[in-house]
Amino acid sequence: MAAAGFYRIALGVEYKGSRYRGWQRQASGVLTVQETLEKALSKVADSPVSLMCAGRTDAGVHACGQVVHFDTQAERSMKAWVMGANINLPHDVSVSWAKVMPAHFHARFKAIARRYRYVIYNDQIRPAHLNEEITWNHRPLDAERMAEAAQHLVGVHDFSAFRAGQCQAKSPIKEVHHLRVTRHGKMIVLDIRAGAFLHHMVRNIAGVLMTIGTGERPVEWAKEVLESRIRRTGGVTAHPFGLYLVDVEYRDEFELPERFIGPHFLTGFSELGG
């Protein structure tokens, strides 16, 4: 809860995660998104700022819909928080909006759903552009097979087979609301929405679906991996560079600003939907 005399401010944040060791602040000298953003906001507030986020992304993972909050006594306009932060941030982190929130708002605990997109560039030749913002797979992938396999993972399941060994979640049981796989020229996009995710869950799902897409495994293998509840049955964890936190949802009472579902280079693909 925000203490008396403090304002609770929520921010929309986007970042390219390729040169960061993830969101969460770590030991001195380790570059993280949290510490980078806190330093910029502390200059605007002229006092220390400590952030809470909706989801702690891993090293190399990007975001275009991250939500954070902090408490401050500094009186600034919302424009000042946005523009002031961006002036003090490096090129790969950006604040997109700011809003004063009620004291009971919490970026993490009040979130009701999170949505990720995993972007694969599927071509024999390595791309020179976006090479830290997509995952390159040189083997031909059948997006229709991947989409069919993905439906085995929709709904409430025990996702232990897609959970990293260091995952700290209390329960492996999660509900996936949707998992769509679509091709757009050379790009294949995995779009997944759930109430919460396990550590490496999306990247492990992506690894399984790409294996099925190559024809190396049958469509039913996704169900077999899920039902095994054993991580090693699912193969390798997919690369982090293709993964984006694209949206965090809250109840209507908070009236957070709405933006496009990213990443930016996919916004022209109308068939992806909102």
Side-chain angles (χ1 to χ4, degrees), residues 40-75:
L41 290 167
S42 296
K43 291 180 180 179
V44 181
D46 197 27
S47 61
V49 167
S50 180
L51 294 170
M52 296 295 297
C53 75
R56 296 177 295 179
T57 51
D58 291 335
V61 175
H62 317 295
C64 42
Q66 177 71 278
V67 177
V68 306
H69 83 259
F70 62 96
D71 294 338
T72 181
Q73 290 181 302
E75 296 186 22

Side-chain angles (χ1 to χ4, degrees), residues 36-180:
T36 300
L37 185 54
E38 286 177 342
K39 286 181 177 179
L41 290 167
S42 296
K43 291 180 180 179
V44 181
D46 197 27
S47 61
V49 167
S50 180
L51 294 170
M52 296 295 297
C53 75
R56 296 177 295 179
T57 51
D58 291 335
V61 175
H62 317 295
C64 42
Q66 177 71 278
V67 177
V68 306
H69 83 259
F70 62 96
D71 294 338
T72 181
Q73 290 181 302
E75 296 186 22
R76 306 284 187 270
S77 69
M78 295 306 100
K79 182 178 180 180
W81 284 119
V82 173
M83 302 305 293
N86 287 337
I87 288 171
N88 289 289
L89 284 168
H91 68 280
D92 48 9
V93 183
S94 180
V95 173
S96 54
W97 55 261
K99 189 175 188 296
V100 178
M101 302 303 296
H104 66 282
F105 174 81
H106 193 287
R108 178 185 175 190
F109 297 122
K110 291 297 182 179
I112 58 174
R114 295 163 177 84
R115 184 172 174 182
Y116 285 85
R117 281 178 173 171
Y118 192 86
V119 185
I120 304 160
Y121 183 81
N122 189 211
D123 189 69
Q124 187 177 6
I125 305 301
R126 171 178 54 82
H129 305 288
L130 299 177
N131 60 356
E132 292 183 333
E133 297 171 65
I134 50 87
T135 288
W136 171 49
N137 194 316
H138 70 280
R139 301 174 67 182
L141 297 175
D142 186 330
E144 292 184 1
R145 281 171 54 87
M146 294 169 67
E148 184 181 352
Q151 297 317 298
H152 291 299
L153 307 179
V154 175
V156 180
H157 301 289
D158 182 330
F159 283 93
S160 293
F162 297 92
R163 177 182 191 172
Q166 63 269 41
C167 180
Q168 298 177 355
K170 294 181 180 179
S171 171
I173 298 174
K174 302 297 175 187
E175 180 179 6
V176 172
H177 304 137
H178 75 235
L179 176 49
R180 305 166 186 150

Side-chain angles (χ1 to χ4, degrees), residues 9-22:
I9 308 294
L11 302 176
V13 182
E14 55 186 59
Y15 47 87
K16 178 182 176 182
S18 49
R19 74 185 184 101
Y20 295 92
R21 293 296 299 170

